[in-house]
Amino acid sequence: MNENALEMIELELAILLRRTTSDNNHKKVGSLDRSAYLLLRRIAMKGAVGVKVLSGEFQLDISTVSRQAAALEQKGYLYKIPDPLDGRAYTFEITELGKKVLKEHMQARFERITELLQDWPEEECRVFGELLRKFNYSFLER
């Protein structure tokens, strides 16, 4: 890879991460933190799941995912479904309140992204999305 391209990618990623996680962002986008958003969105899209599977998908320690899911359960966004074969195991499912909060948060995110990309041609938006997906999958392949 060309060294100039690598330097540009590294710098632009650092700037992107800083801007998307900054408390001083243009405006607050939604009410969920990043981990809560990702857990709720995953469960809403693919259905009930246990912490072990979530841990693997997000490449996080089981204890981290368990703590994050427990916090969402306390807020009423998730509920536990006991495993009928193993009384110690359970899966998490999203509640109606969790769906409502997730929908509101997603809408705020979509509005912000639309605002940021309003001057981009549709084709550039499509290619940008495809390249981001490809880049994200690279983490899973290495």
Side-chain angles (χ1 to χ4, degrees):
M1 175 182 301
N2 177 312
E3 191 171 322
N4 289 336
L6 183 60
E7 286 180 14
M8 181 176 64
I9 291 168
E10 184 278 329
L11 174 60
E12 295 303 326
L13 281 173
I15 292 169
L16 175 65
L17 291 170
R18 174 68 178 121
R19 288 182 178 156
T20 58
T21 59
S22 172
D23 291 338
N24 299 322
N25 237 347
H26 169 68
K27 55 180 131 175
K28 185 167 173 28
V29 179
S31 60
L32 298 171
D33 66 28
R34 181 176 35 99
S35 62
Y37 172 74
L38 290 172
L39 285 174
L40 289 177
R41 182 129 194 227
R42 190 290 181 197
I43 294 169
M45 289 176 60
K46 295 184 180 178
V49 67
V51 291
K52 187 174 182 180
V53 171
L54 290 170
S55 171
E57 289 181 10
F58 290 114
Q59 298 181 329
L60 295 169
D61 291 336
I62 290 175
S63 62
T64 300
V65 174
S66 182
R67 187 174 55 254
Q68 292 170 345
L72 293 173
E73 182 183 21
Q74 286 180 331
K75 291 180 178 183
Y77 299 164
L78 295 178
Y79 65 91
K80 288 181 185 177
I81 302 171
D83 184 327
L85 302 176
D86 181 353
R88 300 168 297 159
Y90 52 87
T91 57
F92 281 102
E93 181 61 87
I94 192 167
T95 65
E96 288 305 314
L97 176 60
K99 289 176 186 176
K100 178 182 180 289
V101 169
L102 177 62
K103 183 178 178 182
E104 291 168 354
H105 187 84
M106 286 175 64
Q107 184 61 39
R109 290 172 65 99
F110 290 158
E111 288 171 7
R112 179 65 175 137
I113 293 167
T114 298
E115 178 185 328
L116 292 169
L117 299 177
Q118 68 185 351
D119 297 328
W120 289 37
E122 186 66 32
E123 179 64 10
E124 285 184 4
C125 291
R126 185 189 62 73
V127 170
F128 183 58
E130 289 175 0
L131 291 173
L132 281 173
R133 177 182 290 149
K134 181 178 180 179
F135 183 74
N136 280 328
Y137 278 115
S138 296
F139 285 94
L140 301 175
E141 296 168 355
R142 304 265 188 260

